[in-house]
């Protein structure tokens, strides 16, 4: 039996209050994020104020301290009855795992990775915990299971832990090879997610969906909708975690005005979703499944965001969505031309797999495990907001932008194949091409495997969120995924799992991307 380290992603980990303003009286050491969310109804503006970070530093505002919940309970459930890691933890317990050999590496997901170390020593704590578990469990290596943002957080850790102090953890070359057996990345957003752009531009993303679910009807009124979006956007723009999700690789990965990899390979639309639902229940082989989801359609994705003809013809490099100083301080989103350049020793490159190298750990294995066959946001059509409303949010998604039934544009949003949050190319490219074999991103030839999970929605409400879901969070309850984790935790290799399992067009899309390896 090995050691399991779970690394939660953005939003799913609990946050609790340790110091607050007068409006937070009675909330000391209580959860502000994840849990019952009762405080949203009682004092929503106070709640948003305490979830915000300082605009200049990205750290605590004066007089406020919000910290990550610790232990396995930090991310077992997001809210009562809504599991995150609970199913996987329970199944690991059934084969003998407990707190002496299983650890939840919780952290404040709002912060940049380096700020999490500066303020909370999160990276140092993770290093010490892995070293302790390694020794106290008979020098057995660790299987790390990161999810969503936890994937790039741990990628940053791989570089930080071996880098010299004071910026790095001082573990030295060989630390990863000594301590880590495998990294099973679940729902990895290695190359970012386009919907992060929508979050920053107009707050029309996951946060708004969350508010709508928690407070039904609040956004139905134009007045309240505007006010709520303004408050939500103000909070979002203080979180460096949103910046970390911005798409990486530029036009090389995401295409340009003339072509994109999805146009060359596959368009995943509502029509495709209909075909999947009609297939449900039939015993078709993998070839037929891939034929169904490779519906060729005429779509022009152009860039991630379009503002009409005139703006759409401006080179992407001339478009700016956020303060570049804030974005460039902790993260980079490009492609390295020469990884030997000393500049890449800076921590801002460490979470971008296209600007950093994997450690010298040839016996380590890396898995890219994610769901497919769910329409996933890829790019947006924007318009100017009405001049007399929401002046602080000048742009909004143009929901009138729609095309015929055999296109991928619906309500101002283009859709592609993915897990509902992360497009396939972001989740799978590094394992299919970027790290495949010995490349300058993977100089020691760490073995990589792609494990895709074909999404099947629950047949009825009695099945809850389903045991074959490929959705970004629900996949943590996918029985096939849980079985893969259990087998690797029991010592199985990627080859013993069966190697790659692919349903999407990730191989074809990866070949289309022209990148120096």
């Amino acid at each position: 039996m090995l050691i399991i380290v779970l690394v939660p992603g953005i939003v799913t980990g609990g946050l609790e209050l340790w110091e607050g303003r007068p409006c937070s009286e009675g909330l000391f050491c209580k959860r502000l994020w994840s849990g019952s969310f009762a405080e949203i109804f009682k004092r929503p503006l106070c709640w948003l104020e305490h979830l915000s970070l300082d605009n200049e530093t990205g750290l605590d505002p004066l007089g406020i301290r919000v910290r990550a919940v610790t232990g396995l309970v930090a991310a077992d459930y997001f809210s009562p009855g809504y599991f995150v890691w609970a199913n996987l933890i329970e199944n690991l317990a059934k084969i003998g795992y407990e707190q002496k050999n299983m650890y939840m590496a919780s952290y404040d997901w709002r912060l940049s990775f380096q700020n999490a170390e500066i303020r909370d020593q999160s990276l140092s704590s993770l290093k010490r915990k892995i070293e302790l578990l390694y020794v106290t469990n008979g020098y057995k290596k660790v299987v790390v299971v990161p999810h969503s943002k936890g994937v790039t957080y741990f990628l940053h850790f791989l570089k930080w832990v071996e880098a010299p102090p004071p910026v790095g953890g001082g573990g030295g070359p060989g630390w990863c090879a000594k301590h880590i057996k495998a990294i099973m990345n679940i729902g990895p957003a290695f190359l970012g997610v386009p919907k992060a752009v929508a979050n920053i531009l107009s707050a029309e993303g996951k946060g708004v969906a969350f508010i709508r679910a928690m407070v039904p009807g609040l956004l139905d009124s134009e007045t309240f909708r505007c006010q709520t979006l303004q408050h939500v956007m103000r909070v979002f723009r203080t979180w460096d975690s949103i910046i970390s999700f911005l798409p990486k690789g530029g036009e090389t990965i995401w295409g340009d005005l003339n072509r994109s990899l999805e146009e060359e390979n596959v368009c995943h639309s509502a029509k495709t979703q209909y075909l999947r639902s009609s297939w449900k229940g039939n015993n078709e082989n993998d070839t037929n499944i891939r034929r169904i989801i490779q519906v060729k359609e005429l779509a022009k994705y152009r860039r991630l965001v379009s503002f009409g003809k005139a703006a759409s013809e401006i080179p992407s490099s001339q478009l700016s969505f956020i303060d570049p100083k804030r974005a460039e301080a902790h993260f980079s989103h490009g492609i390295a031309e020469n990884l030997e350049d000393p500049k890449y020793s800076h921590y801002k490159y460490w979470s971008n797999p296209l600007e950093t190298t994997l450690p010298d750990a040839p016996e380590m294995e890396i898995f890219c495990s994610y769901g497919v066959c769910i329409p996933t946001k890829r790019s947006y059509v924007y318009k100017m907001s009405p001049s007399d409303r929401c002046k602080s949010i000048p742009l909004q998604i143009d929901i009138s932008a729609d095309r015929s039934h055999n296109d991928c544009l619906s309500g101002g949003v283009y859709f592609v194949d993915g897990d509902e949050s992360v497009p396939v190319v972001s989740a799978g490219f590094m394992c299919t091409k970027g790290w495949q074999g010995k490349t300058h991103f993977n100089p020691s030839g760490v073995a990589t495997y792609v494990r895709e999970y074909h999404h099947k929605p629950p047949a009825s409400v009695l099945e809850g969120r389903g045991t074959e879901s490929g959705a970004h969070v629900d996949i943590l309850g996918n029985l096939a995924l849980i079985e893969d984790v259990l087998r690797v935790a029991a010592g199985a290799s990627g080859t013993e799992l069966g190697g790659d399992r692919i349903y999407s067009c990730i191989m074809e899309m990866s070949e289309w991307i022209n990148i120096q390896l």
Side-chain angles (χ1 to χ4, degrees), residues 143-146 151 181-188 190 364-370 427-428 430-431 435 446-453 481 484-485 487-489 492-501:
V143 174
V144 184
V145 188
V151 168
K181 176 191 183 293
I183 306 171
M184 301 193 73
N185 301 295
I186 301 175
F190 281 121
M364 188 173 75
E365 296 183 321
I366 293 180
F367 296 81
C368 293
S369 305
Y370 53 91
M430 293 311 298
C431 279
W435 291 329
V446 174
T448 63
Y449 301 93
V450 177
R451 302 289 288 177
E452 293 186 343
Y453 302 86
L481 171 70
D484 281 355
V485 174
R487 291 182 63 189
V488 173
S493 66
T495 301
E496 290 169 328
L497 287 189
D500 294 339
R501 182 179 60 207

Side-chain angles (χ1 to χ4, degrees), residues 151-207:
V151 168
T152 46
Y153 174 76
F154 196 75
L155 183 65
H156 180 99
F157 173 83
L158 292 177
K159 203 71 176 181
W160 173 89
V161 73
E162 294 191 346
V167 177
W175 190 97
C176 294
K178 177 181 178 180
H179 294 93
I180 302 173
K181 176 191 183 293
I183 306 171
M184 301 193 73
N185 301 295
I186 301 175
F190 281 121
L191 304 183
V193 291
K195 69 179 183 179
V197 177
N199 271 311
I200 291 172
L201 274 179
S202 59
E204 296 175 285
K206 195 169 188 177

Side-chain angles (χ1 to χ4, degrees), residues 5 8 70 102-103 105 121 151 155 164 236 248 257 284 295 354 361 460 465 468 498 509-510:
V5 172
T70 59
M102 179 167 53
Y103 172 66
Q121 293 75 56
V151 168
L155 183 65
F236 280 173
K248 301 175 177 70
L257 289 174
E284 299 198 31
V295 178
L354 300 174
S460 69
R465 288 153 66 196
E468 296 180 88
M509 288 191 286
S510 295

Side-chain angles (χ1 to χ4, degrees), residues 310-332:
S312 70
E313 293 176 351
I314 299 173
S316 297
S317 59
Q318 295 181 21
L319 295 173
S320 179
F321 307 128
I322 55 175
D323 180 358
K325 292 182 180 179
R326 179 72 180 273
E328 294 171 5
H330 292 277
F331 301 101
S332 181

Side-chain angles (χ1 to χ4, degrees), residues 21-143:
R21 304 274 167 78
C23 67
S24 67
E25 184 178 356
L27 297 180
F28 176 70
C29 272
K30 292 185 179 179
R31 292 196 182 202
L32 293 186
W33 190 271
S34 136
S36 68
F37 291 100
E39 293 308 314
I40 298 176
F41 300 96
K42 296 179 181 178
R43 33 190 158 176
L45 294 182
C46 180
W47 174 74
L48 287 173
E49 179 184 13
H50 285 76
L51 286 176
S52 299
L53 296 171
D54 184 271
N55 273 317
E56 296 296 324
T57 66
L59 296 168
D60 294 324
L62 183 65
I64 293 177
R65 282 186 294 151
V66 174
R67 298 292 182 264
V69 177
T70 59
L72 295 175
V73 297
D76 54 352
Y77 289 91
F78 179 67
S79 58
Y82 191 95
F83 72 82
V84 183
W85 292 92
N87 288 2
L88 182 56
I89 292 171
E90 182 178 354
N91 279 277
L92 286 166
K94 289 178 180 178
I95 63 171
Y97 280 91
E98 53 186 289
Q99 291 191 347
K100 70 178 182 180
N101 52 13
M102 179 167 53
Y103 172 66
M104 179 75 74
S106 59
Y107 58 98
D108 189 336
W109 43 262
R110 301 172 302 160
L111 302 173
S112 73
F113 305 140
Q114 205 66 12
N115 272 348
E117 171 64 14
I118 291 171
R119 195 194 74 179
D120 301 333
Q121 293 75 56
S122 296
L123 299 172
S124 294
S125 296
L126 178 54
K127 175 178 180 282
R128 289 192 298 268
K129 188 66 176 182
I130 289 176
E131 291 170 341
L132 177 63
L133 290 170
Y134 174 76
V135 172
T136 57
N137 286 275
Y139 303 96
K140 293 176 182 177
K141 290 187 178 182
V142 174
V143 174

Side-chain angles (χ1 to χ4, degrees), residues 287-414:
T287 302
N288 287 334
I289 293 172
R290 292 190 67 184
R291 186 178 298 122
I292 287 173
I293 66 173
Q294 291 184 55
V295 178
K296 298 273 188 177
E297 299 174 359
L298 300 175
K300 287 294 182 183
Y301 290 91
R302 292 182 175 262
R303 59 168 50 91
L304 296 174
V305 173
S306 297
F307 300 94
K309 180 176 174 55
S312 70
E313 293 176 351
I314 299 173
S316 297
S317 59
Q318 295 181 21
L319 295 173
S320 179
F321 307 128
I322 55 175
D323 180 358
K325 292 182 180 179
R326 179 72 180 273
E328 294 171 5
H330 292 277
F331 301 101
S332 181
H333 300 85
I335 301 176
E337 295 181 0
N338 176 18
L339 283 167
E340 300 299 320
D341 190 322
K343 77 174 186 178
Y344 290 110
S345 62
H346 192 282
Y347 62 77
K348 74 177 184 179
Y349 299 104
W350 294 348
S351 61
N352 181 359
L354 300 174
E355 295 184 299
T356 192
T357 58
L358 292 177
D360 183 7
E363 295 182 0
M364 188 173 75
E365 296 183 321
I366 293 180
F367 296 81
C368 293
S369 305
Y370 53 91
V372 295
C373 299
I374 307 178
T376 302
K377 293 176 180 179
R378 162 59 164 80
S379 51
Y380 300 84
V381 179
Y382 269 87
K383 67 177 182 179
M384 297 301 295
S385 298
S387 58
D388 60 334
R389 296 173 181 172
C390 286
K391 292 184 179 180
S392 64
I393 307 178
L395 299 170
Q396 65 183 55
I397 295 174
D398 186 358
I399 61 174
S400 67
D402 206 20
R403 296 188 181 175
S404 62
H405 65 280
N406 59 346
D407 204 348
C408 293
L409 175 62
S410 176
V413 181
Y414 285 100

